[in-house]
Amino acid sequence: MEEQPIQGRSSHCALSYRERHWSPATLNWNRNSLPGAGAAMKTPAPAWTCGLALVLLLLLAVLQTTTAQKNGIDIYSLTVDSKVSSRFAHTVVTSRVVNKADTMQEATFQMELPKKAFITNFSMIIDGVTYPGNIKEKAAAQEQYSAAVARGESAGLVKATGRKMEQFQVSVSVAPAAKVTFELVYEELLKRRLGVYELLLKVQPQQVVKHLQMDIHIFEPQGISFLETESTFMTSELENALTTSQTQTKAHILFKPTLSQQQKSLEQQDTVINGNFIVRYDVNRTLSGGSIQIENGYFVHYFAPEGLPTIPKNVIFVIDKSGSMRGKKIQQTREALIKILDDLSPKDQFNLVPFSEEATQWKPSLVPASAENVKEARTYAAGIQAQGGTNINSAMLMAVQLLERATREELLPSGSVSLIILLTDGDPTVGETSPEKIQRNVQDAIGGQYSLFCLGFGFDVSYAFLERLALDNGGLARRIYEDSDSALQLEDFYQEVANPLLTAVAFEYPSNAVEDVTQDNFRLLFKGSEMVVAGKLRDQSPDVLSAKISGQLLMQNITFQTESGMAEQEEFPSPKYIFYNFMERLWAFLTIQQLLEQIVSASDTEKQALKTRALGLSLNYSFVTPLTSMVVTKPEGQEQSQVAEKPVENKNRHRNVPLGHGVFRYHSMGNRRSGMTAAENFSSRLGPPGPLHHRHSSYPFSNPNPRLTDMLLVPGLLSDPSGFDGVLHGMDLMITETISTSPPSGKLPAPSALTQAPSVILPLPGQSVDRLCVDIKHSQGPMNLLSDPDQGIEVTGHYEIEKAQFSWIKVTFRNPQLQVHATPEHVVVTQNRRSSAYKWKNTLFSVMPGLKMTEDKAGLLLLSSPDKVTIGLLFWDGPGQGLRLLLRDTDRFSRHISGTLGMLPMALRSGHPQKSPLPSNKQCPEFLCVSQPPCLYPLLIHPLFLRPVLPGCALGAPNRGR
């Protein structure tokens, strides 16, 4: 076998074999993935099968050992240490490797860090010698960079990957038996968006690591009000390696898996750890002047008051409908626009300006967002078609004129806020096409009266043009990535600006107390965001730092006052929660960020002064920014230097961005792929299926152990022993009986081509093993499947009778306030107006107060809580493809349950599980139709298996087959 190059990737870091090996484990039934499953599912395997498996395992072990010996590089330690102090995060990634080969090998350190972060240090220690990274002005590093490119070497060390991340990579040759330590440090100021701060860490070791640890400490003097973690690689085995602790002001998250927990299986040495680890939190806040925190001669002031009313807004949506938007783009734009229109407040006013070669307006003036107007606008938006060129100038001026006329004629609510939201996917091609002239025209027309937000759809538009257009006019620009979640990205952006709280916000501090203060005037404060001001304290500053914050709310001036005593300021905790001079570095980081934004829209004469100041701070505090570069030195005889530069948004970069790292929290749930369908994969976790014979039907099911009466076994879809049976609502249901039998010993029947999995699977208390089949005869619109006010759970869905499947299922929780909306495309989780979209058949592990949400690569999403019913959502890609609803722990339902899954047992509660006959149709609600066996409908759309739903309620069924 040829020697393969070695890659070291780490979180951030990993050193791994580039080739992947087939393992017989991919074909094994994993019978023990759920509690008790192993006992229920064991089926004797022929001796030749066991022998073959043993031989294959031995060959695999030899293959892996040989490969490891040939590659030689081994990561024996990988740590990610992140300290978050007052929203400022300092992350250190350390990877230690050794070359176990007899020859020189190349090790590659590769990691991903958030785009908003600045690298502050990188070093390599080789044989006791440290090779540091030196941060220089970009021009000074350019000579080394150009020389490396001329030699044909890959000089750039940092490149953008995905929506939120950048990748840093360095390679070095390692002598036999030599050890190398890689260390990379980066910092970022966490930004509050839709009510939470988010710390995102990427973990990609790509091999099992003897010492693997992620250690996260959070300190917030205001107090931590909310904390949740989410991972795209966590498994039930890894869950035990994760510990979270929290006090009033501190939180500690530790992830420290053992070698066995990291392995995909006993046979496979590959690691399961590959993906995102996310921490989200928020802090306590009141209707006040915010929180001032002081440390070592610097201060930071956070302002996000609670309890303010929302200011009405006047919004004009300027929508590109040119030919380049044809197809999926315009479809997603229509979908998002309709959803956004539904979210408008009745106090808002709005209008639509679609444009291609010419701009048109939906109405001659802005109209109130009444139910009637919104309904009409939805119809109009649904008919928007894409064709023609792109006349951005004309469309923008039309939008401004609409607002000017409404203002002049006093048609807008007093104290309201006016916004223009532009969505385009290309550069101007019709009318005025000069970006500079369009920028001047729009800025002159707006005149500082309105805020402009620009959304660039895809990579055919000049992002720099849109960014300047927005920053010139008090707004911001955002990239919308072309993917299946584009509509969700648009909706999420709108939620960020949907609720203005204050306008013209200004911060004032005593001039004798502070200096070098960051931006202290802001046009708008939106709900869920936060304003941050930082600065230096003067040498002779007073003992108390006071602040006054003024703004406008509904045409009224409003003032907040707050102060912080330097002696009274809580002492910051031990070094494990903070890092040296963190507040000074926070101030420098924020100042550089704001200077870089100002450079975008500054005049040529202003730009140089802003660049000079930003460059000075970048060099002083060792930040890799767009103005600096880091030169990485290496041992003599290797490439003498490589250059790390900060990537910037541009027109043609990484067009095909994979779904998974979105600014709008569209997360891919892991990268693991399986050759099996979801049906086969889910089945493999629980054991081989057997037949449960439906009378006069050809659905093969199985119940291998008659005592496990709570288990429903379907070819390719098997529930766990705690029980998944099922119920489905359509306005008419046909119920008939089935009985369970066991398959002949040692034989596994082939699934029937007609087999379809139940649309709803529900375990029901009771002793009878008899089941009933239910046929959905027709369905009319969305259905209330179940609602339990005591549990705080509501499940609704829409069943398409023609396709015999759910088009969507929605689960709503009251505490925590959260909604899960599942479609065949993806799952969207919404909490506090934040939406995250997740692909099916990838892994997810999310823990928040009161709820755990997990998904496996079979596509089973489970929503569970210690005291609530467990709700499962499954994308089934076997026969009868579509969504499935699964319920577990149904004995936790209260007697106040309603909806279809509540009405059914209530209608049948007079029966008895052992003695009563099947109820007659007169005893059932109108949507039920029940018949005695044999089933009169052998080809049911979906079979349904029921037993009593509530204690004391029973489905009467004769005790047969025993």
Side-chain angles (χ1 to χ4, degrees):
M1 181 183 297
E2 270 187 305
E3 288 188 9
Q4 298 292 324
I6 312 288
Q7 265 203 344
R9 307 197 175 193
S10 167
S11 159
H12 310 164
C13 153
L15 295 158
S16 69
Y17 313 131
R18 296 225 176 156
E19 60 184 65
R20 284 284 173 266
H21 307 297
W22 171 85
S23 166
T26 58
L27 302 180
N28 285 351
W29 297 108
N30 180 4
R31 301 186 178 99
N32 299 312
S33 59
L34 290 171
M41 295 307 193
K42 289 180 181 176
T43 302
W48 68 266
T49 305
C50 296
L52 176 61
L54 181 59
V55 170
L56 289 173
L57 287 174
L58 290 172
L59 288 173
L60 177 66
V62 171
L63 177 63
Q64 290 177 331
T65 302
T66 303
T67 307
Q69 289 172 347
K70 282 194 173 184
N71 287 276
I73 295 292
D74 177 53
I75 309 175
Y76 61 90
S77 176
L78 170 60
T79 62
V80 181
D81 184 5
S82 192
K83 293 179 172 65
V84 183
S85 303
S86 297
R87 288 74 145 174
F88 195 53
H90 174 89
T91 301
V92 181
V93 182
T94 307
S95 176
R96 293 179 171 87
V97 307
V98 60
N99 180 8
K100 293 184 176 181
D102 298 328
T103 58
M104 183 82 74
Q105 297 291 323
E106 183 180 71
T108 300
F109 175 87
Q110 184 185 83
M111 55 80 66
E112 292 187 20
L113 67 152
K115 285 182 180 178
K116 298 296 184 182
F118 291 157
I119 293 173
T120 67
N121 188 42
F122 174 75
S123 64
M124 296 181 291
I125 302 175
I126 305 174
D127 289 335
V129 180
T130 300
Y131 299 87
N134 299 311
I135 295 178
K136 301 181 179 182
E137 181 183 357
K138 184 169 285 189
Q142 191 63 41
E143 183 179 343
Q144 290 167 293
Y145 181 88
S146 301
V149 171
R151 293 193 302 267
E153 297 167 357
S154 177
L157 300 181
V158 185
K159 63 180 180 179
T161 62
R163 303 177 187 176
K164 284 188 173 182
M165 307 299 283
E166 294 169 351
Q167 185 183 84
F168 177 90
Q169 178 174 306
V170 170
S171 298
V172 64
S173 296
V174 185
K179 293 182 178 181
V180 181
T181 297
F182 299 97
E183 182 178 277
L184 184 123
V185 183
Y186 63 87
E187 294 173 350
E188 62 176 319
L189 180 60
L190 304 183
K191 184 177 181 181
R192 189 169 187 251
R193 193 182 76 83
L194 293 174
V196 298
Y197 307 99
E198 180 177 289
L199 177 69
L200 171 58
L201 302 172
K202 188 82 171 180
V203 190
Q204 296 175 293
Q206 297 195 9
Q207 71 161 76
V208 294
V209 180
K210 183 177 180 180
H211 177 224
L212 176 62
Q213 177 176 300
M214 296 178 62
D215 203 9
I216 303 164
H217 289 88
I218 300 172
F219 172 67
E220 291 291 348
Q222 285 177 257
I224 299 171
S225 63
F226 165 84
L227 179 72
E228 74 174 35
T229 60
E230 178 180 310
S231 167
T232 63
F233 58 79
M234 199 72 69
T235 63
S236 57
E237 292 79 11
L238 286 171
E239 181 180 355
N240 298 324
L242 177 66
T243 58
T244 302
S245 60
Q246 181 182 342
T247 65
Q248 183 177 352
T249 59
K250 302 170 188 172
H252 180 212
I253 299 105
L254 178 66
F255 177 62
K256 193 174 181 179
T258 63
L259 283 170
S260 60
Q261 288 173 325
Q262 296 173 50
Q263 291 177 220
K264 285 187 177 179
S265 68
L266 293 175
E267 298 83 7
Q268 288 181 293
Q269 298 299 311
D270 288 342
T271 180
V272 298
I273 299 174
N274 182 6
N276 296 336
F277 188 86
I278 303 168
V279 179
R280 299 189 187 97
Y281 73 94
D282 197 16
V283 301
N284 298 319
R285 55 187 86 244
T286 59
L287 183 59
S288 69
S291 172
I292 298 177
Q293 296 163 31
I294 299 170
E295 191 259 347
N296 201 25
Y298 287 79
F299 78 93
V300 62
H301 186 177
Y302 296 106
F303 179 69
E306 286 289 291
L308 291 175
T310 299
I311 299 174
K313 61 184 179 295
N314 318 300
V315 58
I316 297 183
F317 300 97
V318 183
I319 307 299
D320 187 344
K321 62 166 188 172
S322 61
S324 58
M325 289 283 288
R326 190 178 292 116
K328 189 73 172 176
K329 285 184 185 177
I330 198 68
Q331 176 188 334
Q332 292 174 322
T333 299
R334 288 193 298 256
E335 178 187 333
L337 188 55
I338 289 170
K339 178 66 169 62
I340 289 169
L341 290 170
D342 287 339
D343 288 340
L344 288 171
S345 166
K347 296 180 181 179
D348 295 337
Q349 301 220 30
F350 74 104
N351 205 340
L352 307 176
V353 178
F355 71 95
S356 53
E357 294 178 359
E358 295 181 353
T360 58
Q361 53 193 36
W362 168 55
K363 294 286 186 181
S365 62
L366 280 83
V367 297
S370 64
E372 183 179 349
N373 286 334
V374 168
K375 182 180 178 181
E376 186 180 345
R378 283 169 52 94
T379 303
Y380 178 82
I384 295 176
Q385 301 296 323
Q387 59 181 355
T390 307
N391 193 336
I392 294 176
N393 189 70
S394 175
M396 287 303 305
L397 295 182
M398 177 178 287
V400 175
Q401 288 164 7
L402 282 168
L403 286 172
E404 282 182 339
R405 188 184 316 127
T407 303
R408 191 168 56 249
E409 297 175 5
E410 299 183 349
L411 300 176
L412 304 179
S414 59
S416 59
V417 171
S418 295
L419 312 175
I420 299 173
I421 299 178
L422 166 67
L423 170 68
T424 182
D425 77 328
D427 293 336
T429 61
V430 177
E432 181 57 69
T433 58
S434 166
E436 292 77 14
K437 288 184 179 179
I438 295 173
Q439 288 163 0
R440 285 198 300 271
N441 291 344
V442 173
Q443 188 173 15
D444 291 344
I446 288 179
Q449 299 179 73
Y450 322 120
S451 294
L452 170 62
F453 298 90
C454 298
L455 304 177
F457 206 145
F459 289 89
D460 292 326
V461 63
S462 169
Y463 187 81
F465 162 61
L466 293 183
E467 185 177 37
R468 176 160 187 179
L469 200 60
L471 292 176
D472 279 346
N473 298 284
L476 56 86
R478 184 71 58 79
R479 175 93 65 190
I480 301 299
Y481 294 85
E482 290 184 59
D483 218 320
S484 60
D485 71 322
S486 298
L488 183 66
Q489 295 177 53
L490 292 167
E491 294 166 27
D492 246 18
F493 172 81
Y494 171 75
Q495 288 300 329
E496 291 187 56
V497 299
N499 297 287
L501 301 179
L502 288 174
T503 63
V505 182
F507 292 73
E508 294 181 41
Y509 306 95
S511 58
N512 66 337
V514 300
E515 61 183 347
D516 291 337
V517 176
T518 60
Q519 180 182 345
D520 55 10
N521 283 271
F522 303 85
R523 184 176 291 195
L524 284 168
L525 172 67
F526 292 103
K527 184 177 181 180
S529 67
E530 181 176 63
M531 291 177 173
V532 185
V533 179
K536 295 181 184 179
L537 298 176
R538 292 185 181 273
D539 292 339
Q540 303 299 321
S541 60
D543 292 337
V544 175
L545 177 61
S546 60
K548 183 174 78 171
I549 306 97
S550 59
Q552 285 197 330
L553 174 63
L554 298 173
M555 291 296 289
Q556 294 183 348
N557 294 325
I558 184 170
T559 302
F560 299 91
Q561 289 189 330
T562 189
E563 62 181 28
S564 177
M566 302 181 195
E568 299 170 5
Q569 186 77 210
E570 178 184 350
E571 287 189 14
F572 284 88
S574 64
K576 70 180 181 180
Y577 281 93
I578 65 170
F579 48 97
Y580 180 69
N581 281 350
F582 82 92
M583 198 162 288
E584 180 180 354
R585 296 189 65 80
L586 184 160
W587 165 81
F589 184 99
L590 181 60
T591 302
I592 294 169
Q593 258 192 348
Q594 293 177 352
L595 288 170
L596 293 173
E597 281 189 3
Q598 292 170 31
I599 289 170
V600 172
S601 57
S603 64
D604 291 339
T605 54
E606 296 172 327
K607 276 184 180 179
Q608 190 53 51
L610 294 170
K611 282 184 176 179
T612 300
R613 187 171 179 222
L615 173 61
L617 288 170
S618 300
L619 294 172
N620 232 15
Y621 291 92
S622 297
F623 287 130
V624 178
T625 70
L627 303 175
T628 57
S629 301
M630 183 171 66
V631 179
V632 177
T633 57
K634 293 186 178 183
E636 188 176 352
Q638 301 189 36
E639 298 174 45
Q640 285 305 296
S641 63
Q642 287 182 291
V643 179
E645 296 186 336
K646 182 77 174 172
V648 294
E649 285 279 359
N650 57 50
K651 180 175 177 180
N652 298 309
R653 180 168 47 77
H654 61 285
R655 290 175 177 273
N656 299 318
V657 177
L659 186 65
H661 308 295
V663 171
F664 296 85
R665 297 181 66 232
Y666 196 108
H667 310 289
S668 169
M669 296 183 291
N671 298 322
R672 287 170 282 162
R673 294 290 181 263
S674 169
M676 295 183 284
T677 65
E680 294 165 335
N681 210 334
F682 191 37
S683 174
S684 72
R685 296 168 48 220
L686 296 142
L692 172 65
H693 296 296
H694 186 293
R695 294 186 182 182
H696 299 278
S697 175
S698 54
Y699 299 133
F701 302 111
S702 154
N703 189 347
N705 187 338
R707 290 174 297 177
L708 293 174
T709 55
D710 282 340
M711 180 176 290
L712 169 67
L713 304 177
V714 183
L717 174 63
L718 295 102
S719 69
D720 71 51
S722 63
F724 286 136
D725 291 323
V727 197
L728 221 178
H729 168 66
M731 287 297 98
D732 282 286
L733 304 175
M734 172 66 66
I735 301 183
T736 55
E737 186 193 27
T738 66
I739 60 174
S740 60
T741 61
S742 298
S745 177
K747 294 184 179 180
L748 297 179
S752 165
L754 297 175
T755 300
Q756 294 193 21
S759 289
V760 182
I761 303 176
L762 174 65
L764 307 169
Q767 302 301 318
S768 173
V769 297
D770 293 309
R771 265 68 165 177
L772 300 174
C773 300
V774 177
D775 184 21
I776 303 174
K777 297 171 67 176
H778 66 76
S779 171
Q780 296 179 352
M783 300 174 266
N784 177 18
L785 297 174
L786 70 86
S787 178
D788 189 332
D790 293 5
Q791 286 270 303
I793 296 174
E794 182 179 64
V795 182
T796 55
H798 186 270
Y799 188 81
E800 296 181 355
I801 198 72
E802 298 82 6
K803 297 182 180 179
Q805 64 176 260
F806 280 108
S807 59
W808 56 263
I809 297 173
K810 183 165 65 178
V811 183
T812 304
F813 292 90
R814 188 174 62 230
N815 187 24
Q817 292 186 353
L818 179 138
Q819 186 181 92
V820 179
H821 190 272
T823 66
E825 289 75 35
H826 53 226
V827 177
V828 176
V829 179
T830 303
Q831 185 178 22
N832 296 329
R833 300 179 296 117
R834 285 182 297 114
S835 294
S836 303
Y838 303 96
K839 282 186 172 180
W840 290 109
K841 293 199 277 186
N842 290 310
T843 53
L844 169 70
F845 183 91
S846 178
V847 179
M848 62 195 75
L851 186 68
K852 181 166 78 171
M853 182 166 54
T854 64
E855 179 170 354
D856 60 19
K857 58 184 177 181
L860 175 62
L861 178 71
L862 291 178
L863 309 165
S864 60
S865 178
D867 56 350
K868 287 186 173 69
V869 174
T870 296
I871 296 178
L873 298 171
L874 173 71
F875 176 66
W876 171 258
D877 58 0
Q881 178 176 341
L883 296 174
R884 299 293 182 265
L885 173 65
L886 306 93
L887 301 178
R888 193 169 63 191
D889 309 316
T890 52
D891 56 329
R892 295 173 180 169
F893 277 128
S894 76
R895 298 188 67 85
H896 301 111
I897 184 174
S898 61
T900 303
L901 303 186
M903 294 170 65
L904 182 60
M906 295 302 290
L908 305 176
R909 68 187 302 131
S910 60
H912 188 280
Q914 299 297 331
K915 299 179 180 179
S916 302
L918 283 167
S920 67
N921 289 330
K922 293 180 180 179
Q923 295 174 279
C924 299
E926 292 180 2
F927 60 81
L928 291 178
C929 182
V930 194
S931 65
Q932 293 279 2
C935 293
L936 302 178
Y937 301 84
L939 299 180
L940 301 177
I941 294 176
H942 285 289
L944 198 63
F945 300 90
L946 301 177
R947 302 222 322 280
V949 177
L950 298 173
C953 299
L955 281 181
N959 187 8
R960 297 183 175 89
R962 300 194 184 89

